[in-house]
Amino acid sequence: MTLALPRSVDAADVDGKIVLVRSDLNVPLEDGRVADDTRIRSSLPTLRLLLERGAAEVRVCSHLGRPKGRDERYAIAPVRGRLGELLADSRLQVLENTRFDERETKNDPSFARELADGCDLYVNDAFGSAHRAHASTEGVAHLLPAYAGLLLLDELRNLGTLLGAVDRPFVLVSGGAKVEDKVGVLESLGSRADAVLIGGKMAAELAAQPLLEGVPLVLPTDVVAASAFDADAETRVVSADAVPEGWLGLDIGPRSREDFAREIAGARTVFWNGPMGVFEWPRFAEGTLAVAHAVAACDGFTVVGGGDSVRAVQEAGVAERISWISTGGGASLELLEGRELPGVAAIPAE
Ligand code: ADP
Ligand code: MG
C-alpha cells in the first residue's frame, strides 16, 4: 500500500497572499509558560517558507489544551510569545486558541467561514490534529485553496513508509497504558511484522486474552513486580507468569530487556509506540530506557510515535539517533491503522 500525498505548500503561489496556516502548537504549559517548544519548532519550516516566498500575511491558528470554550489558562499568548522569539516577522499573526470557540470541534461551517474570511490560501501543517474533523483542520479546507505543510508531508512520508514494502526484519514495539488505542495498529501492522514486542500495561492484558491472531507477539518472560502502584513500593523481579497475587507488573524484567534489545538490534525497520513500564518512576524506567537505546543503536529505519514514548526517547538523550520522531500521537496510530485522516483527505492530492 502506498499513501496518496496531498499537494504541497511548496507548489503554491503565495506571493502577496494572506495565508491561513493550521499548525499544531498544542504544547505543554507549566505556570503559564511553554514547558516544551518542540511542536513550535517543528512548525517553523512551513512558516519560514511562506514568509520567504513573499506572503503578505501568515495567520497561524492552533488549539491548545482541551478547554471547553473560553478559558484563560489555555490562552495562546505564551505560545505566540515563544513563536515570536523563534521567528520574528511583522507579517506573522497568531490567532487565539481555536477551541475557545465551541464551534471548532463541531466543525461548524460558520466558524470555518470566519477563519477563512479575508484569506487567500489555507495550509494545514497540523499532523497531530489531522485525525480530527474540526473547523480549523477540515472545514476550512473546503473554503480556500488548500495545501499541505512541510511537517504534515514529512509525517505522511515517514509513517507511510511503514505501510509499504518495508525492509525486514520489521519489528514493532508496543507498550504504554492506552491499550484500546493501540490494538488497531497491532492488528494492521502486527500481521506484517516479523516480531511484535509487547511491554507496559499491554503485556498483562494481552497475556490474559490473546486476541490477536496471526500477530507474532513476543511477551515479556520476566517483569519487575511491585506490591502497589507507587514509586516506593516493594519490588521483585519475577517470571511473567508468577506475579504475586495483588501485585502489579510495572516494568519488563532484565531478561526481557535483553531479548527485546537483541530483536531490535537485528531489525531493518522498527516502529515503537508506548513505554515498557512506568518510566516516570526511575525504578520502573529500565525497560523503556533499554528499548530507547536499542532503537537508537539500530541502523535500520526507526520510527517512534506517542507523546510519552517520545518523551522517554528525549530523556534517554537519543532523539537525534532515531530516523523519525512523530509529533502526532493519535494521528500516527490512526494513519498506521490504515484509516483516512480527515485533515489530509480534505486537501487535493498532488
Ligand atoms: P504513548 O503516549 O507513548 O502513546 P501511553 O500514553 O499509552 O503511551 O502510555 C504511557 C503511560 O503508560 C506512561 O505514563 C506509563 O507510566 C504507563 N505505563 C507503562 N507501563 C505500565 C504498566 N505496566 N502499568 C501501568 N502503567 C504503565
Ligand atoms: Mg501518552
Side-chain angles (χ1 to χ4, degrees), residues 7-20:
R7 67 182 179 185
S8 172
V9 61
D10 193 35
D13 175 13
V14 303
D15 190 25
K17 304 278 171 62
I18 298 178
V19 186
L20 177 70

PDB file of all heavy atoms in Angstrom, residues 7-20:
ATOM      1  N   ARG A   7      -1.331  17.785  -1.947  1.00  0.00           N
ATOM      2  CA  ARG A   7      -0.404  18.695  -2.632  1.00  0.00           C
ATOM      3  C   ARG A   7       0.327  19.590  -1.632  1.00  0.00           C
ATOM      4  O   ARG A   7      -0.233  20.006  -0.622  1.00  0.00           O
ATOM      5  CB  ARG A   7      -1.136  19.508  -3.690  1.00  0.00           C
ATOM      6  CG  ARG A   7      -2.140  20.486  -3.130  1.00  0.00           C
ATOM      7  CD  ARG A   7      -2.855  21.225  -4.247  1.00  0.00           C
ATOM      8  NE  ARG A   7      -3.839  22.137  -3.672  1.00  0.00           N
ATOM      9  CZ  ARG A   7      -4.684  22.849  -4.401  1.00  0.00           C
ATOM     10  NH1 ARG A   7      -4.690  22.745  -5.721  1.00  0.00           N
ATOM     11  NH2 ARG A   7      -5.545  23.664  -3.816  1.00  0.00           N
ATOM     12  N   SER A   8       1.564  19.883  -1.975  1.00  0.00           N
ATOM     13  CA  SER A   8       2.465  20.570  -1.048  1.00  0.00           C
ATOM     14  C   SER A   8       2.376  22.086  -1.160  1.00  0.00           C
ATOM     15  O   SER A   8       2.230  22.643  -2.253  1.00  0.00           O
ATOM     16  CB  SER A   8       3.903  20.148  -1.331  1.00  0.00           C
ATOM     17  OG  SER A   8       4.794  20.940  -0.582  1.00  0.00           O
ATOM     18  N   VAL A   9       2.557  22.742  -0.037  1.00  0.00           N
ATOM     19  CA  VAL A   9       2.666  24.198   0.028  1.00  0.00           C
ATOM     20  C   VAL A   9       3.817  24.681  -0.861  1.00  0.00           C
ATOM     21  O   VAL A   9       3.811  25.803  -1.356  1.00  0.00           O
ATOM     22  CB  VAL A   9       2.868  24.653   1.495  1.00  0.00           C
ATOM     23  CG1 VAL A   9       4.156  24.073   2.077  1.00  0.00           C
ATOM     24  CG2 VAL A   9       2.869  26.167   1.613  1.00  0.00           C
ATOM     25  N   ASP A  10       4.768  23.802  -1.072  1.00  0.00           N
ATOM     26  CA  ASP A  10       5.926  24.121  -1.905  1.00  0.00           C
ATOM     27  C   ASP A  10       5.499  24.500  -3.328  1.00  0.00           C
ATOM     28  O   ASP A  10       6.198  25.236  -4.016  1.00  0.00           O
ATOM     29  CB  ASP A  10       6.838  22.881  -1.922  1.00  0.00           C
ATOM     30  CG  ASP A  10       8.199  23.200  -2.495  1.00  0.00           C
ATOM     31  OD1 ASP A  10       8.679  24.318  -2.255  1.00  0.00           O
ATOM     32  OD2 ASP A  10       8.754  22.340  -3.192  1.00  0.00           O
ATOM     33  N   ALA A  11       4.334  23.989  -3.751  1.00  0.00           N
ATOM     34  CA  ALA A  11       3.866  24.242  -5.119  1.00  0.00           C
ATOM     35  C   ALA A  11       2.897  25.427  -5.191  1.00  0.00           C
ATOM     36  O   ALA A  11       2.392  25.755  -6.260  1.00  0.00           O
ATOM     37  CB  ALA A  11       3.180  22.982  -5.656  1.00  0.00           C
ATOM     38  N   ALA A  12       2.620  26.059  -4.057  1.00  0.00           N
ATOM     39  CA  ALA A  12       1.625  27.148  -4.044  1.00  0.00           C
ATOM     40  C   ALA A  12       2.264  28.490  -4.366  1.00  0.00           C
ATOM     41  O   ALA A  12       3.407  28.732  -3.991  1.00  0.00           O
ATOM     42  CB  ALA A  12       0.963  27.209  -2.662  1.00  0.00           C
ATOM     43  N   ASP A  13       1.523  29.345  -5.054  1.00  0.00           N
ATOM     44  CA  ASP A  13       1.997  30.704  -5.303  1.00  0.00           C
ATOM     45  C   ASP A  13       1.475  31.576  -4.161  1.00  0.00           C
ATOM     46  O   ASP A  13       0.280  31.858  -4.072  1.00  0.00           O
ATOM     47  CB  ASP A  13       1.457  31.199  -6.653  1.00  0.00           C
ATOM     48  CG  ASP A  13       1.827  32.653  -6.899  1.00  0.00           C
ATOM     49  OD1 ASP A  13       2.694  33.188  -6.152  1.00  0.00           O
ATOM     50  OD2 ASP A  13       1.255  33.265  -7.821  1.00  0.00           O
ATOM     51  N   VAL A  14       2.357  31.976  -3.279  1.00  0.00           N
ATOM     52  CA  VAL A  14       1.908  32.673  -2.069  1.00  0.00           C
ATOM     53  C   VAL A  14       2.294  34.159  -2.072  1.00  0.00           C
ATOM     54  O   VAL A  14       1.955  34.890  -1.140  1.00  0.00           O
ATOM     55  CB  VAL A  14       2.450  31.993  -0.791  1.00  0.00           C
ATOM     56  CG1 VAL A  14       2.025  30.537  -0.757  1.00  0.00           C
ATOM     57  CG2 VAL A  14       3.963  32.102  -0.674  1.00  0.00           C
ATOM     58  N   ASP A  15       2.977  34.583  -3.114  1.00  0.00           N
ATOM     59  CA  ASP A  15       3.471  35.962  -3.176  1.00  0.00           C
ATOM     60  C   ASP A  15       2.322  36.971  -3.044  1.00  0.00           C
ATOM     61  O   ASP A  15       1.366  36.937  -3.819  1.00  0.00           O
ATOM     62  CB  ASP A  15       4.210  36.164  -4.510  1.00  0.00           C
ATOM     63  CG  ASP A  15       4.956  37.487  -4.540  1.00  0.00           C
ATOM     64  OD1 ASP A  15       5.308  37.992  -3.450  1.00  0.00           O
ATOM     65  OD2 ASP A  15       5.171  38.014  -5.646  1.00  0.00           O
ATOM     66  N   GLY A  16       2.392  37.803  -2.040  1.00  0.00           N
ATOM     67  CA  GLY A  16       1.382  38.839  -1.827  1.00  0.00           C
ATOM     68  C   GLY A  16       0.078  38.324  -1.237  1.00  0.00           C
ATOM     69  O   GLY A  16      -0.878  39.077  -1.084  1.00  0.00           O
ATOM     70  N   LYS A  17       0.035  37.031  -0.894  1.00  0.00           N
ATOM     71  CA  LYS A  17      -1.212  36.425  -0.408  1.00  0.00           C
ATOM     72  C   LYS A  17      -1.314  36.447   1.122  1.00  0.00           C
ATOM     73  O   LYS A  17      -0.312  36.472   1.832  1.00  0.00           O
ATOM     74  CB  LYS A  17      -1.309  34.959  -0.879  1.00  0.00           C
ATOM     75  CG  LYS A  17      -1.198  34.766  -2.395  1.00  0.00           C
ATOM     76  CD  LYS A  17      -2.521  35.017  -3.073  1.00  0.00           C
ATOM     77  CE  LYS A  17      -2.423  35.056  -4.597  1.00  0.00           C
ATOM     78  NZ  LYS A  17      -1.976  33.815  -5.205  1.00  0.00           N
ATOM     79  N   ILE A  18      -2.559  36.378   1.568  1.00  0.00           N
ATOM     80  CA  ILE A  18      -2.817  36.206   3.004  1.00  0.00           C
ATOM     81  C   ILE A  18      -3.092  34.724   3.220  1.00  0.00           C
ATOM     82  O   ILE A  18      -4.024  34.162   2.634  1.00  0.00           O
ATOM     83  CB  ILE A  18      -4.014  37.064   3.464  1.00  0.00           C
ATOM     84  CG1 ILE A  18      -3.677  38.547   3.240  1.00  0.00           C
ATOM     85  CG2 ILE A  18      -4.340  36.791   4.933  1.00  0.00           C
ATOM     86  CD1 ILE A  18      -4.782  39.507   3.614  1.00  0.00           C
ATOM     87  N   VAL A  19      -2.235  34.094   4.008  1.00  0.00           N
ATOM     88  CA  VAL A  19      -2.287  32.638   4.147  1.00  0.00           C
ATOM     89  C   VAL A  19      -2.724  32.262   5.561  1.00  0.00           C
ATOM     90  O   VAL A  19      -2.119  32.701   6.547  1.00  0.00           O
ATOM     91  CB  VAL A  19      -0.909  32.004   3.852  1.00  0.00           C
ATOM     92  CG1 VAL A  19      -1.004  30.482   3.856  1.00  0.00           C
ATOM     93  CG2 VAL A  19      -0.360  32.504   2.511  1.00  0.00           C
ATOM     94  N   LEU A  20      -3.765  31.443   5.627  1.00  0.00           N
ATOM     95  CA  LEU A  20      -4.181  30.882   6.920  1.00  0.00           C
ATOM     96  C   LEU A  20      -3.443  29.556   7.102  1.00  0.00           C
ATOM     97  O   LEU A  20      -3.523  28.678   6.242  1.00  0.00           O
ATOM     98  CB  LEU A  20      -5.700  30.627   6.918  1.00  0.00           C
ATOM     99  CG  LEU A  20      -6.247  29.963   8.189  1.00  0.00           C
ATOM    100  CD1 LEU A  20      -6.190  30.921   9.385  1.00  0.00           C
ATOM    101  CD2 LEU A  20      -7.685  29.482   7.972  1.00  0.00           C
TER     102      LEU A  20
END
